[in-house]
Amino acid sequence: MSSIKGGGQVTANGEYTGNVPAKYRGTTADKLDMSALGREQVLRRNFRFISIVGFGCTLIATWEVVLTLLAQGLTDGGTAGLIWGFLIVACGFLLVFLSLAEMASMAPTSGGQYHWVSEFAPPSCQKFLSYITGWLCAMGWQCAIVSIAYLAGTIIQGLIVLNDTTYTFEAWHGTLLVIAITSFAILFNTFLAKRLPFVEVLILILHVCGLFAIIIPLWVLAPRRTAKQVFTEFNNDGGWNSAGTATLVGFSTTITSLIGYDCAVHMSEEIKDASATLPKAMITSVIVNACSGFLMLVTICFTLGDITSVLSSPTGYPFIQVFYNTTQSLPGTNTMTAILVLTLTASTITEVATASRQLWSFARDRGLPFSNFFGYVTPGWNIPLNAVMVSLAVTALLSLINIGSSTALLAIVTLTIGSLMSSYVITISCLLLKRIRGEPLPPHRWSLGRFGMAINIGALMFLLPVFVFCFFSLTSTVDKTSMNWCVVMYGGVMIIAIVYYVVRGRFYYVPPVALVNRE
């Protein structure tokens, strides 16, 4: 090892093992967990239960995403498809995140899924499956930044259209807004990194208060659709062979609004008493967001008005048109929509934090090209600054795709869903196989008990079919502009990952299980 300015040391593979101030080193349980996982404490443990609940709730932004992606669900499924689909997806993801929460208690590490696969997969395929899962998570979370920043940026454009009918909706304007929003998020992940937990609590308050600031005017002012229309009328504008198929395709709205609570896992090395706090915070976030999302969904479905009219809104977002139809006021609509812009921008802050920690963690195990650079923790800052800045660069580059094709960029948005669900399937399958074989699991302070196997099976039964449908286009007949190119991008990245593994990765990648010492 060699010493560096500011305290701490660098190992032979370039990993910083810096001195973390005593108050940020966590509890005795954290130290034992890090020792068992073979890791050094290099990040500050400054998140507590409420701040990590806020982190999960505001990153996923369920009720906000339900509103912004309303058009997809209304096209395929309609209001009945949206509501019943939301309940199905919420129950399914509850099983998924119960499974992940238990694994988080067994191994609270920023690596998350790829670490768990490395520990729980059969020895014959541990290294390869762990490596592929690491790529899936890294890809999924980098794309997630683009996804949420794109939504926030194009909503701003939609507001401009509403207020200025002479404005032309230019793609490059959206790209600049994506870069600006992500750059703003970078400030919180660098200069204000020490205050990020406090910021997350404030954002959680905005997330909850913003929900009621929007639904109360809708309850009071908007015309009502009948319960029969809302709960029983399905829509099939995608031209599928049945309303059932259309509803399954329209699940993309509800899946996007409820996926990704493993975000908190990738912050686990910054959570105090992580093995106990993290699982409870994850499930609390799922329940809080599912309830708030369902409340918003039912409200908007009752107050939509004419569906055809709002779907053809020049703003590009039906919910903006609903707000305007309800308030008949530009200032009122602007205020209600600004709440979403603020919460989605806040979500971008947490997306950057998650994506950078996932990238950093995988790089410290040498799973990526330029791992020494990506896996470096800046002395004194105790954050993976290089990974944070790379996340900004990746987002800026991906957002440029919007200039040439908004369809291609939307495929990147969908790629987030496909990548994360793949990682869930692999991870839970490995845990289930271990349970079926009767092999002992690592000690954990938060357990599913005797229901563990049933919950794991239920999670996989939910994930496998919806994973297939996430690659479908909104319409049954497609051309190059309506095609969902996600499957092409997904396959392309997987081919690159496998080729890199064969050529170089298998020689350099250090599977986390090689460092584990639970004796």
Side-chain angles (χ1 to χ4, degrees):
M1 292 189 177
S2 60
S3 297
I4 54 178
K5 186 177 180 180
Q9 297 175 312
V10 176
T11 63
N13 65 3
E15 181 180 342
Y16 171 62
T17 60
N19 295 328
V20 178
K23 66 177 180 178
Y24 294 128
R25 292 176 190 168
T27 64
T28 301
D30 291 323
K31 295 171 185 176
L32 291 173
D33 285 334
M34 293 297 280
S35 176
L37 298 174
R39 301 295 187 185
E40 294 280 349
Q41 184 67 50
V42 298
L43 305 179
R44 297 186 190 91
R45 291 188 181 272
N46 54 355
F47 279 90
R48 303 294 192 275
F49 176 77
I50 291 298
S51 54
I52 205 64
V53 167
F55 189 95
C57 286
T58 57
L59 186 149
I60 308 305
T62 298
W63 68 260
E64 296 92 336
V65 173
V66 163
L67 285 179
T68 55
L69 299 183
L70 195 62
Q72 298 176 16
L74 290 176
T75 300
D76 288 317
T79 55
L82 274 169
I83 289 175
W84 298 116
F86 187 94
L87 291 174
I88 293 170
V89 172
C91 291
F93 270 130
L94 179 59
L95 298 178
V96 170
F97 293 115
L98 282 170
S99 300
L100 297 188
E102 185 179 41
M103 285 184 274
S105 187
M106 297 176 192
T109 167
S110 296
Q113 291 94 304
Y114 85 86
H115 176 102
W116 301 332
V117 170
S118 181
E119 266 204 86
F120 304 148
S124 60
C125 55
Q126 276 179 337
K127 188 173 184 177
F128 176 72
L129 280 182
S130 170
Y131 173 84
I132 290 299
T133 305
W135 270 80
L136 286 168
C137 289
M139 173 173 63
W141 282 112
Q142 290 298 323
C143 291
I145 303 174
V146 186
S147 304
I148 207 74
Y150 177 75
L151 290 177
T154 50
I155 287 172
I156 293 173
Q157 285 187 281
L159 268 186
I160 297 173
V161 169
L162 182 68
N163 287 270
D164 181 5
T165 55
T166 63
Y167 172 71
T168 303
F169 205 106
E170 297 285 356
W172 65 271
H173 294 174
T175 294
L176 289 178
L177 286 167
V178 169
I179 296 172
I181 290 168
T182 309
S183 299
F184 176 73
I186 294 295
L187 293 177
F188 284 88
N189 282 277
T190 51
F191 299 108
L192 297 176
K194 289 183 180 179
R195 301 295 181 187
L196 191 56
F198 176 70
V199 171
E200 294 298 339
V201 174
L202 294 180
I203 297 172
L204 177 61
I205 295 171
L206 174 63
H207 176 70
V208 174
C209 294
L211 169 70
F212 290 99
I214 288 176
I215 61 176
I216 289 174
L218 293 176
W219 287 345
V220 173
L221 300 174
R224 300 286 194 278
R225 304 177 79 236
T226 66
K228 182 179 180 181
Q229 288 176 309
V230 171
F231 291 106
T232 65
E233 290 186 0
F234 292 84
N235 197 30
N236 187 10
D237 282 351
W240 297 99
N241 59 358
S242 69
T245 304
T247 300
L248 287 170
V249 174
F251 270 15
S252 59
T253 295
T254 48
I255 289 171
T256 306
S257 70
L258 288 165
I259 197 171
Y261 289 97
D262 58 297
C263 61
V265 172
H266 305 302
M267 303 297 292
S268 58
E269 293 177 38
E270 297 170 65
I271 301 172
K272 190 170 184 178
D273 203 23
S275 58
T277 302
L278 177 57
K280 291 183 285 188
M282 285 177 65
I283 302 308
T284 302
S285 299
V286 173
I287 294 172
V288 169
N289 264 15
C291 292
S292 62
F294 187 70
L295 180 60
M296 176 59 78
L297 182 59
V298 171
T299 298
I300 199 71
C301 286
F302 267 99
T303 57
L304 270 173
D306 181 63
I307 293 179
T308 304
S309 173
V310 297
L311 282 175
S312 60
S313 172
T315 65
Y317 285 99
F319 78 87
I320 297 180
Q321 193 64 50
V322 172
F323 290 173
Y324 182 70
N325 293 345
T326 298
T327 63
Q328 292 296 306
S329 163
L330 286 176
T333 303
N334 293 341
T335 301
M336 293 170 72
T337 307
I339 294 172
L340 266 88
V341 174
L342 287 174
T343 54
L344 291 173
T345 301
S347 177
T348 309
I349 295 172
T350 47
E351 295 275 8
V352 169
T354 297
S356 61
R357 269 52 169 193
Q358 173 65 74
L359 186 69
W360 161 75
S361 182
F362 195 40
R364 71 177 169 179
D365 290 323
R366 310 188 70 77
L368 295 167
F370 313 110
S371 287
N372 283 352
F373 178 78
F374 296 147
Y376 183 71
V377 174
T378 306
W381 290 48
N382 295 106
I383 60 170
L385 183 59
N386 290 356
V388 170
M389 300 312 295
V390 167
S391 297
L392 171 62
V394 169
T395 301
L397 291 173
L398 290 178
S399 68
L400 294 176
I401 296 173
N402 185 50
I403 298 175
S405 171
S406 60
T407 302
L409 184 61
L410 288 173
I412 290 176
V413 174
T414 311
L415 189 59
T416 302
I417 301 175
S419 301
L420 292 182
M421 282 204 291
S422 299
S423 73
Y424 301 160
V425 169
I426 296 172
T427 306
I428 296 173
S429 296
C430 291
L431 178 63
L432 178 60
L433 181 60
K434 206 169 179 67
R435 278 197 156 107
I436 291 173
R437 290 179 170 179
E439 298 174 2
L441 296 173
H444 44 294
R445 300 162 67 193
W446 193 90
S447 173
L448 298 177
R450 64 180 185 272
F451 301 106
M453 183 178 293
I455 289 173
N456 296 160
I457 293 172
L460 289 175
M461 289 176 65
F462 163 73
L463 284 170
L464 291 172
V466 297
F467 170 71
V468 173
F469 279 98
C470 80
F471 294 107
F472 278 51
S473 301
L474 285 178
T475 57
S476 58
T477 55
V478 297
D479 53 29
K480 65 180 182 180
T481 57
S482 60
M483 169 72 178
N484 185 348
W485 295 99
C486 171
V487 66
V488 177
M489 296 181 178
Y490 180 91
V493 173
M494 285 296 94
I495 290 171
I496 292 171
I498 292 170
V499 169
Y500 182 78
Y501 179 80
V502 171
V503 173
R504 184 179 174 86
R506 61 195 175 107
F507 302 111
Y508 291 92
Y509 176 54
V510 181
V513 71
L515 305 175
V516 171
N517 178 21
R518 294 191 180 276
E519 297 300 326

